[in-house]
């Protein structure tokens, strides 16, 4: 008989939670009728964090996707009036992507949809449980502290 695999169970739970989060966020996006896919939402959020309009290659690198995927996302967002392509002031051969006013308004709606989805997901937890979960998630996101020794079994 094999011993239970607690790490395997945790991995499965994380994957199931991730799928649930995506489903709920997608539903909240659809209810707001923005016509924006989750991937386009991620591109808009990423774009909003730049101080100046980035190049398509910069977006692809930050999103960890191939440049062609960014082109497709930008095409859809540009057709919807959420972003626009602009020439780089220093090199007219380079194209940069910037948010439009409609794109900024969509981001505000997207933030509201994400907040609503998070509230739905976290509703069963107490404030104390949320604080513990937040600390655990920070540890998982940031990785181990380099000053700490590795845990051994």
């Amino acid at each position: 008989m094999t011993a239970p695999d607690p790490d395997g169970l945790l991995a499965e739970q994380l994957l199931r939670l991730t799928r649930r989060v995506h489903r709920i966020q997608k539903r909240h996006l659809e209810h707001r009728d923005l016509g924006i896919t989750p991937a386009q939402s991620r591109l808009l959020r990423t774009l909003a964090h730049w101080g100046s309009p980035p190049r398509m290659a910069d977006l692809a690198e930050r999103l960890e996707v191939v440049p062609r995927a960014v082109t497709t996302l930008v095409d859809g967002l540009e057709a919807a009036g959420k972003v626009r392509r602009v020439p780089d002031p220093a090199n007219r051969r380079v194209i940069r992507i910037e948010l439009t006013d409609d794109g900024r308004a969509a981001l505000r709606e997207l933030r509201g949809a994400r907040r609503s989805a998070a509230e739905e997901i976290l509703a069963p937890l107490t404030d104390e449980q949320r604080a513990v979960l937040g600390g655990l998630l920070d540890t998982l996101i940031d990785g181990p502290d380099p000053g700490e020794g590795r845990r051994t079994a």
Side-chain angles (χ1 to χ4, degrees):
M1 184 165 132
T2 60
D5 180 7
D7 290 339
L9 176 60
L10 280 174
E12 181 59 30
Q13 287 174 307
L14 283 171
L15 291 172
R16 288 177 52 211
L17 177 60
T18 301
R19 286 191 297 268
R20 182 167 184 251
V21 167
H22 284 285
R23 268 193 323 272
I24 290 171
Q25 283 185 341
K26 185 176 179 184
R27 182 170 37 84
H28 281 265
L29 280 175
E30 289 168 352
H31 284 261
R32 292 183 183 244
D33 200 27
L34 294 173
I36 295 175
T37 67
Q40 289 172 330
S41 168
R42 184 170 173 236
L43 186 139
L44 286 175
R45 289 190 320 273
T46 301
L47 190 55
H49 290 291
W50 249 282
S52 61
R55 299 172 308 136
M56 300 271 265
D58 298 329
L59 285 169
E61 184 178 325
R62 178 76 55 91
L63 294 169
E64 298 178 344
V65 298
V66 296
R68 177 69 192 130
V70 171
T71 300
T72 301
L73 293 171
V74 168
D75 287 347
L77 289 168
E78 187 175 40
K82 309 294 187 227
V83 301
R84 70 177 144 254
R85 288 174 166 93
V86 294
D88 184 305
N91 182 349
R92 290 174 24 112
R93 293 175 294 170
V94 174
I95 299 297
R96 296 191 173 267
I97 308 303
E98 69 179 12
L99 283 170
T100 63
D101 289 340
D102 280 353
R104 281 185 274 287
L107 268 172
R108 285 189 293 277
E109 285 291 319
L110 290 167
R111 285 185 190 113
R114 288 169 58 90
R115 235 181 335 273
S116 297
E119 288 170 10
E120 180 179 334
I121 291 164
L122 297 172
L125 301 179
T126 66
D127 289 343
E128 184 179 325
Q129 289 171 321
R130 288 177 187 213
V132 170
L133 177 61
L136 293 170
L137 290 173
D138 283 343
T139 300
L140 292 174
I141 291 166
D142 298 335
D145 182 349
E148 293 181 13
R150 297 209 25 112
R151 187 178 86 179
T152 56

